[in-house]
Amino acid sequence: MVTRTDAQTRREQILKEAARLFAERGFHGVGVDEIGAAVGISGPGLYRHFAGKDAMLAELLVGISGQLLTGGKRRVQESDGRPDALLDSLIEGHIDFALDDRPLITLHDRELDRLRDSDRKLVRQLQRQYVELWVTVVRDRYDRLSEPEARATVHAVFGLLNSTPHIGRPGSLPGRTAMASLLHRLARGAFDAAGT
């Protein structure tokens, strides 16, 4: 008997492998049979979980945008009110995404335009809310920054952090802990430079 937890785990496995394959070979370069084989089921068996590849792509890109926003809001709610600590927490959360979900960054860069208009608009809406959450935190920490300057700096830091899929093969980079520390220093350096 398949439990609800097993079904969710299978869905998550499918999405993880679909993201990896789409990032490696492009959305149109991957068939449902290949995704199914990667998780040990037949290609047609995927249709018990998803309506098709388009639905997988939408769930991946809408899902990660929603997770980033939810995580950011949670960090704000759990903060002790110190702007430095909150900014560090947001940076750490985004670094976790940048290092652990590299295929989703590649997928977003290459395949966002393949989403239906409604899904693409939802991704953009979630991303705008995430940016604005950061802008508020950055302006609390660096009160000399205007709103447009803070927004531009947030986007620049996202560009820096989201560059991880493009800076080399995973084995050619420092270990995860060292890479996370380096990215954190670079992000804080960018904010400090903008705020002075």
Side-chain angles (χ1 to χ4, degrees), residues 51-69:
K53 285 189 343 179
D54 292 336
M56 288 180 224
L57 181 64
E59 188 160 331
L60 285 164
L61 295 180
V62 171
I64 194 58
S65 298
Q67 288 171 31
L68 285 168
L69 178 59

Side-chain angles (χ1 to χ4, degrees), residues 84-115:
D84 267 329
L86 178 52
L87 182 57
D88 284 336
S89 179
L90 286 176
I91 291 169
E92 289 163 9
H94 201 93
I95 287 171
D96 287 344
F97 159 67
L99 293 177
D100 299 338
D101 292 310
R102 291 171 62 162
L104 290 176
I105 295 171
T106 301
L107 197 58
H108 179 276
D109 290 347
R110 290 186 191 158
E111 310 292 352
L112 182 63
D113 288 343
R114 298 198 191 287
L115 291 181

Side-chain angles (χ1 to χ4, degrees), residues 169-185:
R169 297 180 321 278
S172 68
L173 301 175
R176 191 193 187 289
T177 302
M179 189 66 188
S181 177
L182 174 61
L183 289 172
H184 195 279
R185 290 192 313 271

Side-chain angles (χ1 to χ4, degrees), residues 18-90:
R20 181 184 64 78
L21 290 167
F22 292 158
E24 286 175 3
R25 299 205 316 263
F27 180 74
H28 288 300
V30 178
V32 292
D33 290 336
E34 294 166 281
I35 298 168
V39 295
I41 61 177
S42 69
L46 290 176
Y47 294 110
R48 285 190 301 246
H49 303 278
F50 297 95
K53 285 189 343 179
D54 292 336
M56 288 180 224
L57 181 64
E59 188 160 331
L60 285 164
L61 295 180
V62 171
I64 194 58
S65 298
Q67 288 171 31
L68 285 168
L69 178 59
T70 299
K73 287 179 176 179
R74 187 188 76 250
R75 288 171 185 273
V76 169
Q77 290 171 349
E78 293 173 355
S79 79
D80 61 6
R82 292 181 303 135
D84 267 329
L86 178 52
L87 182 57
D88 284 336
S89 179
L90 286 176

Side-chain angles (χ1 to χ4, degrees), residues 90-160:
L90 286 176
I91 291 169
E92 289 163 9
H94 201 93
I95 287 171
D96 287 344
F97 159 67
L99 293 177
D100 299 338
D101 292 310
R102 291 171 62 162
L104 290 176
I105 295 171
T106 301
L107 197 58
H108 179 276
D109 290 347
R110 290 186 191 158
E111 310 292 352
L112 182 63
D113 288 343
R114 298 198 191 287
L115 291 181
R116 292 178 309 174
D117 284 344
S118 59
D119 290 327
R120 190 171 48 254
K121 286 178 184 174
L122 180 55
V123 167
R124 293 295 191 202
Q125 177 186 28
L126 293 167
Q127 289 173 342
R128 277 191 301 275
Q129 291 175 35
Y130 184 59
V131 167
E132 293 311 308
L133 182 144
W134 276 70
V135 167
T136 300
V137 171
V138 168
R139 292 195 73 213
D140 284 346
R141 169 56 184 87
Y142 302 98
D143 56 4
R144 297 172 76 188
L145 277 179
S146 69
E147 189 172 314
E149 289 171 329
R151 189 171 295 107
T153 306
V154 167
H155 280 289
V157 168
F158 286 173
L160 169 81

